[in-house]
Amino acid sequence: MTDLATQLAGACSAAFEAEGLEARWGAVKQSDRPELADFQCNGCMGAAKQAGMNPRDLAAKIAPRVAEHALVDRVDVAGPGFLNITVSASALADQAAFIGRDEKAGGGAVEQPEKVVFDFGGPNVAKPMHVGHIRSAVIGDTLVRLFRFLGDDVTGDVHLGDWGLQMGLLIIAVMDEQPDLIYFDESQTGPFPDMPPVTMDDLSRLYPMASGRSKEDEAYAKRAQDAVAEMQAGRAGYRAMLKHFIDVSVAALKVDYGFLDVSFDLWKGESDVDPLIDPMVADLKERELATEDDGAWIIEIARPDENVEAVGKDGKPRLKNPMPPFMLVNSRGATGYHATDLATIKDRVDSIEPDRILYVVDQRQALHFEQVYRAADKVGYMGRDQLEHLGFGTVNGKDGKPFKTREGGTLRLADLNGMALEEATKRIGETGLSGDIGPEEKAEIGTLVARAALRFADLQNQRTTNYVFDLERFTSFEGKTGPYLLYAAVRLKAILRRAAEQGFQAGDIQIDAPEERKLVLALDGFALALRLAREKRMPHYICEHVYQLAQSFSAFYAACPILKDDVPADVRSSRLALCEVVLHQLEAGLGILGITAPERM
């Protein structure tokens, strides 16, 4: 079975075809006027115009054909030719039962699964993650979960920044503080100590210091450039230092990511493709795809039509800024993000053979990725249409500017996680569903509530927009928040637990009350929400669905008693079954969002 809208679309399409018209006019969606009907088909207007007919006359022919379908209770013609479709109570009951027994809770599956790599454009080694990193983490992780849920073969790669100038800055900063370390003896080739000579706190302190000094001290900056060049050239001690920087950073990153329940299949960085760079550059030169330009090697990626803006009054073309060339090797002989990103695409093509690579990275990197994608297409690594940049907006404070600490600095993600945990822990017990919770369980629940608050707060926004961070609002159990959704799930669990204690069991579903109809129709929207989220790469569709489902359940619960003594046994068992179905789908949806509901709170 599929969702009701898809099944009804099949019936409407067949009806249009029976009238000699195109099946595409049979598209069906949930009604804009739910008080009039459950679903609507608007195709008669377009089909009639194409066929030179009156839309209402056509609708009068289509309606009886659709009404014959087993799902349909009635079809009404409204306005200029809208088809308003009401499904039968038995069809709703059957659909609810299907969702309840379906492993994917009615979410469906993608028709043509793809092999997809997600690149999280990960943080730079030696730099603590800040509040801005939450977007890439939770958006990317949710899309990974969604694609897997729908049947795609997915690989997630953090893609650490571990190969640029910051490594040179760190090397000389450590050298200045600990000059006697074996890593700085050029004659040493190893083995080197397993224990790193620095901690994450050291790196967090040294990098800003070194970066700031390099901007004012040319000689210091030159030392850093030389150090990174030597590291990239293979100097053993510097490579060993790089490994320590990576190991120390990854250990810290896993803590911050772990709090958000974000994980990766690959923890690769730019340094992992270093062995591919020289052969790649040589090949592109040999194939004359890279050209020399003032000592650098570039790939021209501008399209001819991008160079001309318009023709002036004098008849001559006026040039606009073309797409800048792709920098393969700079004039100093070094490679940067362009080269490592291109080599990474080649590495993924060779080792994973993906159909598509999706980059979940700040929208401000759009130009860089367009250059990389065009270069990858031009050199034959991967088609431009197989590479997508899923940019996102910024996390802002209440002043509308990028979120800062009270002191005006960038807020570390670890501190944000801690703030959310503290606020969430205060809220536990507000729901009245907690009972006697011990300190250990309270800590576990606090983590789940904080995670739900942070992830849902980010994901409910359209990916490309900015949003205002308001921790007090995000941790509330009221309103459109992650904790509100946890409350809905925990309340469902409490109802089912009390029912079991009283010896009541779920039974066959029957749909009578208006709130029951609305609840099943809300459940039926899951597949569409997942399809839209996947097609548009926008998790907010899933957020909207689970929120509407929770609200529909709340309305159902208020209007349809379940455990009261005067409720007939068959009605009680039906409503308990509906509760089970709602919990099944709600937990499936929350799972895709990376949110886990506790048993109580």
Side-chain angles (χ1 to χ4, degrees), residues 532-590:
L532 288 173
R534 183 184 181 279
E535 289 170 7
K536 299 180 182 294
R537 304 6 179 164
M538 296 279 194
H540 74 275
Y541 287 105
I542 310 171
C543 295
E544 190 63 31
H545 173 79
V546 293
Y547 177 66
Q548 293 299 332
L549 178 60
Q551 286 201 310
S552 295
F553 167 72
S554 182
F556 157 78
Y557 183 68
C560 301
I562 301 172
L563 299 180
K564 289 185 176 180
D565 294 339
D566 58 349
V567 177
D570 61 333
V571 174
R572 177 185 294 115
S573 63
S574 168
R575 291 175 179 171
L576 284 173
L578 276 175
C579 287
E580 289 183 343
V581 174
V582 173
L583 180 61
H584 177 45
Q585 189 180 95
L586 184 58
E587 290 196 308
L590 291 177

Side-chain angles (χ1 to χ4, degrees), residues 8 10 19 32 40 60 63 93 120 126 128 208 239 277 314 383 430 434 484 509 579 589 600:
L8 291 171
E19 294 295 332
D32 295 331
Q40 66 186 66
F120 284 69
R239 287 294 181 95
I277 297 291
D314 57 0
E430 289 183 5
S434 58
Y484 168 76
I509 294 174
C579 287
R600 57 182 186 161

Side-chain angles (χ1 to χ4, degrees), residues 14 42 55 139 141 162 177 217 232 251 347 360 442 483 487 518:
N42 302 339
I139 293 170
D141 180 68
D162 61 2
E177 285 199 350
D217 186 337
Q232 291 183 356
D347 181 44
V360 188
K442 186 174 183 179
Y487 169 66
K518 291 177 181 177

Side-chain angles (χ1 to χ4, degrees), residues 120 136-145 261-263 455 592 594:
F120 284 69
S136 175
V138 301
I139 293 170
D141 180 68
T142 298
L143 290 173
V144 166
R145 293 169 185 261
D261 198 17
V262 173
S263 61
R455 291 190 65 124
I592 296 172

